[in-house]
Amino acid sequence: MKVGFFVGCNTSFNRPDLEQAVRYAFPALGIELDNLEGQSCCPSWGTMPSVDVVGWCAVGARNHTIAEEKGLDIVTVCGSCYGSLAESKYKMDTNSEIKASVNEILKEIGREYKGTSKVRLAHYYLYHELGPERIKEALKHRLDGLTVALQPGCHTLWPSKVYYDKEEDPFHPKVLKEMCEALGATVGHYTRLIDCCGMGAMRSTDMEKSFNLVQKKLLSMKEEVNPDLIVTGCSSCLIQFDTAQEFLRNGKKINFQIPVLHFMQVLALCLGADREQVTGLAKTDVGPVVNRILAG
Amino acid sequence: MSNVQVATGVINLSEGDPGLVDEIKELGGEELLECIQCAKCAAACPMVLAGFSFFNKRVIQAILLGLRDALLDDSSIWACQSCNRCTEVCPREVNPFEIIQAMRRVAIREFALPTLSIEGLKSLYDTGHAVYLAGAGSTRAKVGLPEKPYSTVANPKALKELQAVIRQTALADLGIIPMDESDVTETCEV
């Protein structure tokens, strides 16, 4: 099995330890990664999508064509990349005028968007293509005895019509829960499970309001689950939960800290990855919980 | 909305811009007039929980009333997370998210866009990445990765290709960012 790894911006430049986690975990599970060399930004929401539909799709389409030429699906760990690429694909696949306009633009660089590659989120890809049971068999460490709270991420779920990997009910997501349970974790439910973390455009526009949202989620997690670890399904959520806690503590909005990792980081640890390479850039201390995972 | 209207909370509908509806429909909000203001989108919107003045339902309402200046003067449309909860729950398939995006497209055509978006667009053109951290090479090396990812930043031919694509889009027609040769030195966190 082989897939194209769409690494995007935040994972490349902000949390390359997450990039390393993907680069370790996929091959460890027998899946080869192609680098989709020459890929660009998805593009993210505040840029091309906010300017023009055809321009957004054209930049996305160039990325799609890199995977199409190789006959590969695209896998990413970033919700924004997943959402933007899936939406641009949906627009081109369902609107022949948009597709024709995009291909007119791509003609100048000798490319053509055909629509033959799927866009997948890493843990959904593993869930559907390998399944939790096969992943269990490959584990060197487990999360037995650890309680986790989940942050699935908005773009994992909505709009469900644009995604290849759909949740049975996107307002009651199960995939990330089942994947964490496959690693041995106890997954606690909390009221604000599907609330937004406030990262992205909201944080860029008004940091205080953005942090109010993540504060609400953290308090709900703490009071209802009291987790040893927060596990996210999105790189942006990872960055928000990881970096906001210090601000909130300094502002006396919370009086605790909870370590945060992306699911692919937890999986990589369980498969035997080097802890510094796959979790070494966390701002909120993950040391003790990583010790527990590696002892499990 | 004039300052008097803002102060009194009274909206003079005769001052509304009736052309705004058509503009939104042309820029991607085709289903705007299907909205019945049921507020199901608002019930699902994180902007409501965070306390922004204009969220999906109110943006649509303001567009229908032609309140162009009120929307352009407020930063709320730029805080939309593109999370698409609204799209999922809308019973009329209005696609409220796309209407907020269309309102951003109107704003951009009036150069009423946030500095961060301009920087993101410039960074996208110059590096291929809207979010770009110039000092990330050492961070990447620290975790055992090559200093540049396998993207446009490590591949000049691919970057030129991307730039050729962008130069054919509305972004070039609007002239929001310079599209000449430049060095990749800036950091941008959109």
Side-chain angles (χ1 to χ4, degrees), chain B residues 165-180:
Chain B
V165 168
I166 295 175
R167 279 198 301 270
Q168 294 178 78
T169 69
L171 182 62
D173 300 336
L174 293 167
I176 291 165
I177 57 162
M179 290 185 175
D180 48 9

Side-chain angles (χ1 to χ4, degrees), chain A residues 153-227:
Chain A
C154 306
H155 299 286
T156 308
L157 306 170
W158 309 287
S160 56
K161 68 182 179 189
V162 309
Y163 297 129
Y164 178 77
D165 297 312
K166 297 181 196 307
E167 291 277 354
E168 206 173 302
D169 174 354
F171 288 93
H172 296 87
K174 289 179 183 169
V175 170
L176 187 59
K177 178 175 187 286
E178 288 182 25
M179 290 295 267
C180 285
E181 287 171 346
L183 304 186
T186 299
V187 178
H189 179 77
Y190 64 102
T191 315
R192 294 193 178 276
L193 172 71
I194 57 163
D195 278 16
C196 172
C197 70
M199 184 60 180
M202 189 180 287
R203 181 161 152 169
S204 302
T205 306
D206 189 324
M207 191 174 275
E208 194 181 333
K209 285 188 171 66
S210 157
F211 281 180
N212 283 343
L213 289 195
V214 77
Q215 178 192 348
K216 283 185 171 79
K217 288 209 72 149
L218 282 163
L219 290 171
S220 174
M221 285 173 173
K222 184 69 180 170
E223 288 167 9
E224 298 173 57
V225 179
N226 194 24

